[in-house]
Amino acid sequence: MRRMTATFYLLLISELCSLKTAFSEFHFISEKKTYEEAKDYCQTIHTDLATINNMTEMNDLTAFVPNSTIRSWIGLELGNVSRWHWAWSTQNLDFLNWRVGEPKDLGEDSCAAIDPQGEWFESECDTERSFVCQGNSDVPNDYIFVADTKSWRDAQKHCRDLALDLVSVGSAEENKEVRNLSTDQNVWIGLFRDAWKWSDGSQSSFRYWKPQQPNYGNQHCVAAVFKDDGKWNNLNCGSQHSFICQGPSKVSSNTSTTATTPSNNTTNTGDVSASTTQGETFNTTQFSNVTPTGSDFPLTSGNLTLIRENMTWIESLNYCRERHMDLVYVAGQSTQDRVAHMAQHATSSHIWLGLRYTCNFDLWFWSASSTDCYQNWSPGQGPGEHSNECGITGAMVATGGHKWVGLPETQRLNFICQEDCSRI
């Protein structure tokens, strides 16, 4: 799947020269917490733990988190009631065609198949059957019959590897079309039953389990395992992991707080919207209400602001976004010249740009989206170079030719925020 997704993104890059990211609503928090602590944090500071609606969002999230991340909580938890869902998260459950006596409530998880008469029945998901993939749930007759027999989840993986998913059936007419494809076999359709629910109450049916997951017992909360392409694993809710929040910050940068100047030995949560210790109430981040003085005073030019504080790339990104800005996006030579002029006033040897490298897809992208193609890399740096490693992000040399280089995302540098990249 990674190879195919990377190919898609590279084709997109070749046409647009930048990747339009979709994870501005996601916030990675590196501080390890239990599931309930993480949920309380997200509901207090943002909206909730992350809800994932489709494969595009999952790929975006996988590219967004630091490359060293092993696993992080998302907002999926075990509920008390099992419900039927379509694999296509946009498909409503407004048409059913169960065989008499079905469904039979077989267990924690079960899946649905269609028989040669077009009637549905409940089945254990590990049974191997042929199946029908669908390219787009909103496009009629967009079906592909696969004669190979697989378990329900392996069948879904096969469909997803083709950028499809198992078929959803929304009407008697569609049901007849799927039945006609299946000839005289019982085949899988994209209907499944589980008791998992999203913390924010949304009805997304998207699931992205690792093989042999979920398993039950005392493992009622879900984490994305980024060393396994972000696939999901259910875990004991009391275990401690980093986590992903969603939604804008509820904490205003104008909130009156006691703030401290960040230093290299400051404990960082990975998201600069808030900080907390166990048992304390949430307060705004140490960066939210800093009144810079002396050499730390921000230098502003139009919609660009130089922040002469040394922060990691993630801290810098979140600092800017807390103020309804983003890390600077260099759209062309005029912007390069303005940023280079400001960089000369930095107190670090380089300044962070809104550039990030993802080793999952082997490409560079901007945290702000655009269709411009401008680049100013130093020799041996940038796209297609062997120097690219997991965990590097884009920076500009503060002096000389102001070329771009890739540096470890954990390095602490000055940075430039922009108000709105479309006006640069």
Side-chain angles (χ1 to χ4, degrees), residues 55-71:
M55 199 66 219
T56 298
E57 290 186 4
M58 194 64 235
N59 285 335
D60 287 342
L61 183 57
T62 302
F64 175 60
V65 300
N67 293 301
S68 59
T69 306
I70 298 176
R71 60 178 60 86

Side-chain angles (χ1 to χ4, degrees), residues 77-270:
E77 59 191 52
L78 191 64
N80 297 320
V81 179
S82 291
R83 293 183 173 86
W84 287 95
H85 315 270
W86 287 110
W88 283 99
S89 59
T90 57
Q91 176 68 54
N92 295 324
L93 196 65
D94 49 13
F95 173 80
L96 298 170
N97 197 47
W98 293 110
R99 181 192 294 170
V100 175
E102 297 284 351
K104 294 180 177 179
D105 192 15
L106 295 178
E108 295 279 3
D109 294 304
S110 56
C111 301
I114 186 171
D115 66 20
Q117 288 72 46
E119 295 183 320
W120 306 352
F121 61 96
E122 185 176 5
S123 174
E124 293 182 352
C125 300
D126 290 336
T127 304
E128 294 191 348
R129 308 182 190 281
S130 300
F131 52 97
V132 177
C133 299
Q134 183 175 26
N136 186 323
S137 61
D138 297 324
V139 177
N141 306 313
D142 192 16
Y143 305 130
I144 298 176
F145 174 71
V146 181
D148 293 344
T149 59
K150 298 179 182 291
S151 69
W152 191 94
R153 286 203 175 90
D154 285 345
Q156 184 180 51
K157 180 181 183 300
H158 180 99
C159 294
R160 286 181 173 176
D161 285 348
L162 300 173
L164 313 171
D165 212 324
L166 281 170
V167 65
S168 297
V169 181
S171 67
E173 181 181 349
E174 292 177 5
N175 194 71
K176 182 178 179 180
E177 292 171 355
V178 173
R179 182 205 63 188
N180 290 340
L181 284 173
S182 62
T183 63
D184 59 350
Q185 304 179 58
N186 296 327
V187 301
W188 288 126
I189 58 176
L191 191 63
F192 70 97
R193 184 175 68 87
D194 69 10
W196 297 97
K197 65 176 185 176
W198 293 100
S199 175
D200 66 354
S202 72
Q203 299 301 308
S204 172
S205 63
F206 180 76
R207 306 288 187 266
Y208 193 48
W209 297 109
K210 289 179 59 179
Q212 311 305 318
Q213 297 291 327
N215 50 37
Y216 292 92
N218 193 30
Q219 298 174 306
H220 298 167
C221 301
V222 175
V225 184
F226 293 105
K227 66 177 182 179
D228 291 326
D229 298 326
K231 290 184 173 67
W232 303 352
N233 188 14
N234 61 314
L235 304 170
N236 187 305
C237 301
S239 57
Q240 295 188 337
H241 305 286
S242 59
F243 52 100
I244 311 294
C245 297
Q246 68 182 14
S249 174
K250 298 176 182 177
V251 180
S252 170
S253 61
N254 294 323
T255 302
S256 177
T257 61
T258 301
T260 59
T261 301
S263 62
N264 288 336
N265 60 1
T266 300
T267 300
N268 172 43
T269 66

Side-chain angles (χ1 to χ4, degrees), residues 36-55:
E36 289 299 326
E37 290 170 345
K39 182 164 71 169
D40 185 49
Y41 178 105
C42 292
Q43 290 177 344
T44 302
I45 303 302
H46 294 287
T47 301
D48 214 311
L49 281 166
T51 294
I52 315 299
N53 292 287
N54 51 53
M55 199 66 219

